[in-house]
Amino acid sequence: MPLVWLNNADSEFPSVSSALDEPNGLLAAGGDLSAARLLKAYRAGIFPWYEDGQPILWWSPRPRAVLVPAEIHLSRSLKRSIRRQQFTLTVDQCFSTVISRCASMRAQQEGTWITDEMKQAYIGLHQQGHAHSVEIWQGDTLVGGLYGIAIGRMFFGESMFSDVSDASKVALLALCQMDVGLIDCQVVSEHLLSLGAKTIDRDEFCEHIKHLVEQDASQKWHNGAPRLASELL
């Protein structure tokens, strides 16, 4: 089946069932990163992922990597690390810094897909109350964090970074203790599997989205006072 090309005037996506098997999940190309298109994409189980010099590429892989918050796995060594390193955590205190740090870390490791265009689009979503960050600190230094999109009780994870051992894991633990029904991890990795993530069929994933995005989260995102990460244990 030929790849579908989108134009800026039409925000409709093809059915995720038409996504390619190789590369796994590639669904469409083109369009823009407007807030309306991005939110429609996430509600349909689709996300953008591309590099500089490429058109915007839209994906819905099969199977899908997810983390059920209640199933997060904390090893003994991670618990010891959380107690020893005296992390503190905040929410939505410095979203633009978190996404920039995620982009920088990806660039160092394997080349980043968090382009300047992507950063500006997600900062815009954050300003509208749709995108959120969890920040991990040691003293006054930001040492880890994650960001993603929250719609109802569904959280679509985008990226995380860690400057010190276990900082991003603490951010994920904090996210799991918010009123989130399911965390979309997009594609599976050994790192995520070690924390309790699993893969489910794309159709099952889309059914979860359909129900969770319509549920009101009892815990609202806010710029609350810093908390000790050890309180999460």
Side-chain angles (χ1 to χ4, degrees), residues 127-171:
Q127 292 168 344
Q128 295 177 34
H130 302 298
H132 302 280
S133 59
V134 177
E135 303 96 14
I136 304 302
W137 306 81
Q138 282 186 329
D140 294 329
T141 302
L142 180 67
V143 295
L146 61 78
Y147 77 95
I149 308 297
I151 306 177
R153 295 183 62 242
M154 185 73 204
F155 190 87
F156 301 91
E158 276 296 313
S159 189
M160 60 177 64
F161 83 95
S162 186
D163 285 341
V164 301
S165 179
D166 298 326
S168 62
K169 295 178 184 177
V170 178

Side-chain angles (χ1 to χ4, degrees), residues 52 95-120 123 145-147 158-163:
D52 275 327
F95 180 91
S96 60
T97 302
V98 169
I99 193 171
S100 293
R101 290 293 295 109
C102 289
S104 175
M105 177 160 286
R106 294 292 175 269
Q108 294 169 13
Q109 294 175 348
E110 56 197 15
T112 184
W113 48 266
I114 308 174
T115 65
D116 288 341
E117 183 182 27
M118 287 275 278
K119 284 193 285 186
Q120 292 309 309
I123 289 171
L146 61 78
Y147 77 95
E158 276 296 313
S159 189
M160 60 177 64
F161 83 95
S162 186
D163 285 341

Side-chain angles (χ1 to χ4, degrees), residues 15-90:
S15 168
V16 296
S17 63
S18 65
L20 301 179
D21 293 328
E22 184 60 40
N24 180 16
L26 181 57
L27 178 68
D32 58 23
L33 296 177
S34 66
R37 190 189 296 272
L38 284 167
L39 294 174
K40 182 171 287 190
Y42 283 105
R43 284 177 172 270
I46 302 164
F47 60 89
W49 186 20
Y50 66 103
E51 297 179 2
D52 275 327
Q54 294 180 328
I56 301 171
L57 301 177
W58 302 91
W59 303 77
S60 185
R62 181 179 188 180
R64 191 70 164 238
V66 299
L67 176 61
V68 178
E71 297 177 1
I72 188 170
H73 173 69
L74 302 179
S75 65
R76 292 179 182 176
S77 61
L78 176 57
K79 291 179 180 179
R80 288 196 298 269
S81 175
I82 292 173
R83 294 188 180 99
R84 183 180 68 252
Q85 300 207 57
Q86 297 184 322
F87 294 117
T88 57
L89 68 96
T90 56

